[in-house]
Amino acid sequence: MSGASILVYAERVGGNLGQIEKLLAGPLADFNGIHVLPFFHPYDGDDAGFDPIDHTIVDPRLGDWTDFKRISGTHELTADLIVNHASYQSPEFLDWQAKGDASEFAGMFLTFDAVFPNGGDEEGITSFYRPRPGLPFTAFEVAGKRRLVWTTFMPSQVDIDIKHPAGQAYLVRVLEALKSGGVKVVRLDAVGYAVKTPGTDSFMTPETLEFVKEISDLIHSYDMRVLVEVHAHYTQQLDIAPLVDLIYDFQTAPLLLHSLGTGTVDKLAKWFEIRPTNCLNVLDTHDGIGIIDGGPIGGKPGLITQDDMAAIFKRAEEATNGHSAIASVVPQWFTLPHQINATFPAVVNNDTGYVLCRAVQFFLPGEPQVYYVGLLNGMDDIELFNRTAQGRDVNRHHYTPEELEVAIAQPVTQAIIALARLRNHGAFEGQFAWKTTGANSMNLSWVNGDDQVSLDFVTDASAPSFVVTVIDASGTSRYSSVEELAGLGLVLTK
């Protein structure tokens, strides 16, 4: 896909799909694609839709598949295939609980015995990587007997046995529903956890990569592209990138925060030297701002050090008046959170620095995607966090239509929309180049014949700055402030 996309929750951007359609046809018309986060039944479960009872239908409170078909007629539509788990309230799980081995869904859900047929010892059981405290299974009653079912994330999210025919048939049913609804890109959610291999931590193992290849082939058979979501060491991102159509760039965000905090670009430059070109360029998502993705993991050195990561979290804590430290969760076996639970503009705490980060995101090779809260220059929703006690909710505000109108009119939001419009410029179909121009400065550029666009930026910790330059048949234009960039869209439409 050429151009940029947005990442949204249907119910949190005006309340329904109809409101999103209006935005895509109106003020957000410069975005070419949209990823709607889980809209299945129900969208408001224990994990904000990532625990579907029925993964094949649209929650009727939001709309139905005809709404998505209509959206897909004008925009590339991305939706999630939740590979690792389903809800313990799903019809399949309830049927298995009631009937046991007599259920047609017997074998669909991963049990302790399936992973450890000869029994597991303490070392083997505790070696599994889990992003939550405690052990990765929960006891359920199945046909009158207690069974240990794998629950990698939450007790209400029961893991699927992706090797069993019943588990594979389930994934096919979901893919067929997504295809019927006009989905063009399938995001493999939590795929890094899907394959359990005793004797390893079972996260992004060779067996996982083999499964990614297999399910990618299946998705391609439905003429849909594959996006893989993996928060992991940057070398694992490099390994998986050739296997799929799109891989998240979760590394640029922490590196930009490091650069802005230290007034340097050397570590950002190291990433640019090896960064894949088939990236989905993101800074923030519904999960927060990934920091672990740039750091050391499992004894492997990172693009930034553990001390660099700690400094990023400390600066975020100061920028958010201490709230990011309250909302961010430290996983088991780790000393720092994986992600900052705060909005990206709140953490940067400087409009020019924030738009600088967005400009870098849009100028890098790949496909830029902007999370709705970041697009709307949203601040932390502390009230929602206080109600739910879910750290990620600080970055998941529910916008009313009235709030959307006010937010879209902000200069920062208009500047991001202008970057989306600029991304459709013919220069971005040409050759990309980048260079460091100083200890705290870089230049990113695209050239296609006589069309040229460039971004010069300085990561001065106290006074970040940027200049966007556009050269084409209409002449040369430069934009060096949020307000000037906000007016760029008007120039491009003349």
Side-chain angles (χ1 to χ4, degrees), residues 298-480:
K300 296 180 181 179
L303 297 164
I304 53 177
T305 67
Q306 187 82 354
D307 287 343
D308 293 333
M309 290 173 57
I312 291 171
F313 282 108
K314 183 63 176 177
R315 288 191 293 271
E317 181 180 355
E318 293 170 354
T320 60
N321 296 317
H323 194 266
S324 67
I326 298 172
S328 301
V329 178
V330 179
Q332 195 166 24
W333 320 124
F334 285 80
T335 58
L336 290 172
H338 282 186
Q339 293 132 345
I340 301 173
N341 282 337
T343 75
F344 207 92
V347 169
V348 176
N349 198 29
N350 179 293
D351 286 355
T352 299
Y354 176 53
V355 173
L356 181 160
C357 292
R358 289 295 177 193
V360 173
Q361 174 192 14
F362 275 80
F363 266 78
L364 287 173
E367 301 181 14
Q369 183 180 86
V370 185
Y371 182 53
Y372 77 101
V373 177
L375 171 63
L376 299 170
N377 196 31
M379 296 294 113
D380 291 355
D381 192 337
I382 297 174
E383 181 182 346
L384 180 60
F385 168 73
N386 287 338
R387 288 206 312 267
T388 67
Q390 296 294 322
R392 292 173 176 175
D393 277 347
V394 300
N395 192 31
R396 296 177 176 180
H397 181 66
H398 292 258
Y399 282 86
T400 66
E402 294 75 23
E403 287 177 317
L404 288 171
E405 185 176 353
V406 172
I408 289 171
Q410 297 176 90
V412 167
T413 299
Q414 286 298 311
I416 298 171
I417 291 172
L419 288 169
R421 187 168 299 173
L422 179 62
R423 184 69 193 211
N424 291 313
H425 194 283
F428 284 96
E429 298 177 6
Q431 295 296 312
F432 173 73
W434 68 273
K435 60 184 177 182
T436 56
T437 54
N440 64 354
S441 59
M442 298 183 81
N443 168 271
L444 311 180
S445 64
W446 290 84
V447 178
N448 184 18
D450 294 333
D451 291 338
Q452 301 178 41
V453 294
S454 65
L455 168 67
D456 292 278
F457 64 93
V458 178
T459 62
D460 187 302
S462 59
S465 62
F466 66 86
V467 178
V468 172
T469 304
V470 182
I471 302 173
D472 55 25
S474 64
T476 300
S477 301
R478 290 183 175 86
Y479 309 88
S480 58

Side-chain angles (χ1 to χ4, degrees), residues 204-243:
M204 291 307 300
T205 61
E207 291 81 3
T208 310
L209 295 179
E210 183 59 35
F211 172 65
V212 169
K213 288 171 60 178
E214 292 172 1
I215 197 163
S216 294
D217 288 342
L218 176 62
I219 294 169
H220 287 154
S221 72
Y222 289 94
D223 195 29
M224 297 185 288
R225 295 200 294 161
V226 180
L227 165 64
V228 168
E229 180 249 7
V230 176
H231 286 283
H233 193 263
Y234 75 91
T235 57
Q236 291 178 302
Q237 299 284 67
L238 299 178
D239 288 341
I240 204 168
L243 307 179

Side-chain angles (χ1 to χ4, degrees), residues 117-367:
N118 300 315
D121 58 20
E122 182 177 351
E123 182 179 0
I125 293 170
T126 58
S127 67
F128 286 90
Y129 172 64
R130 184 176 190 243
R132 302 285 192 277
L135 294 174
F137 28 76
T138 302
F140 287 94
E141 184 172 313
V142 178
K145 297 182 180 179
R146 289 185 181 178
R147 302 291 303 274
L148 282 179
V149 180
W150 221 265
T151 51
T152 297
F153 290 91
M154 301 173 70
S156 58
Q157 294 168 308
V158 287
D159 287 18
I160 296 165
D161 189 343
I162 51 88
K163 297 179 182 179
H164 193 280
Q168 294 168 350
Y170 169 79
L171 295 177
V172 167
R173 290 197 299 276
V174 177
L175 283 174
E176 289 177 346
L178 297 181
K179 176 66 176 179
S180 71
V183 173
K184 301 289 177 35
V185 180
V186 174
R187 174 183 180 267
L188 298 180
D189 175 69
V191 70
Y193 302 90
V195 183
K196 281 69 172 179
T197 306
T200 74
D201 65 2
S202 291
F203 181 75
M204 291 307 300
T205 61
E207 291 81 3
T208 310
L209 295 179
E210 183 59 35
F211 172 65
V212 169
K213 288 171 60 178
E214 292 172 1
I215 197 163
S216 294
D217 288 342
L218 176 62
I219 294 169
H220 287 154
S221 72
Y222 289 94
D223 195 29
M224 297 185 288
R225 295 200 294 161
V226 180
L227 165 64
V228 168
E229 180 249 7
V230 176
H231 286 283
H233 193 263
Y234 75 91
T235 57
Q236 291 178 302
Q237 299 284 67
L238 299 178
D239 288 341
I240 204 168
L243 307 179
V244 297
D245 301 293
L246 288 169
I247 183 81
Y248 279 97
D249 174 4
F250 287 130
Q251 285 69 32
T252 294
L255 291 167
L256 281 170
L257 292 177
H258 173 76
S259 292
L260 286 174
T262 61
T264 62
V265 294
D266 56 323
K267 296 185 178 183
L268 187 64
K270 179 182 177 181
W271 172 237
F272 287 177
E273 290 173 357
I274 59 175
R275 180 181 181 273
T277 57
N278 62 326
C279 286
L280 190 73
N281 306 348
V282 297
L283 297 181
D284 48 352
T285 71
H286 57 292
D287 287 334
I289 307 166
I291 305 299
I292 188 67
D293 308 88
I297 301 178
K300 296 180 181 179
L303 297 164
I304 53 177
T305 67
Q306 187 82 354
D307 287 343
D308 293 333
M309 290 173 57
I312 291 171
F313 282 108
K314 183 63 176 177
R315 288 191 293 271
E317 181 180 355
E318 293 170 354
T320 60
N321 296 317
H323 194 266
S324 67
I326 298 172
S328 301
V329 178
V330 179
Q332 195 166 24
W333 320 124
F334 285 80
T335 58
L336 290 172
H338 282 186
Q339 293 132 345
I340 301 173
N341 282 337
T343 75
F344 207 92
V347 169
V348 176
N349 198 29
N350 179 293
D351 286 355
T352 299
Y354 176 53
V355 173
L356 181 160
C357 292
R358 289 295 177 193
V360 173
Q361 174 192 14
F362 275 80
F363 266 78
L364 287 173
E367 301 181 14

Side-chain angles (χ1 to χ4, degrees), residues 91-106:
E92 295 90 347
F93 190 76
L94 294 176
D95 191 82
W96 177 56
Q97 275 194 289
K99 301 176 183 176
D101 290 342
S103 169
E104 63 179 300
F105 305 112

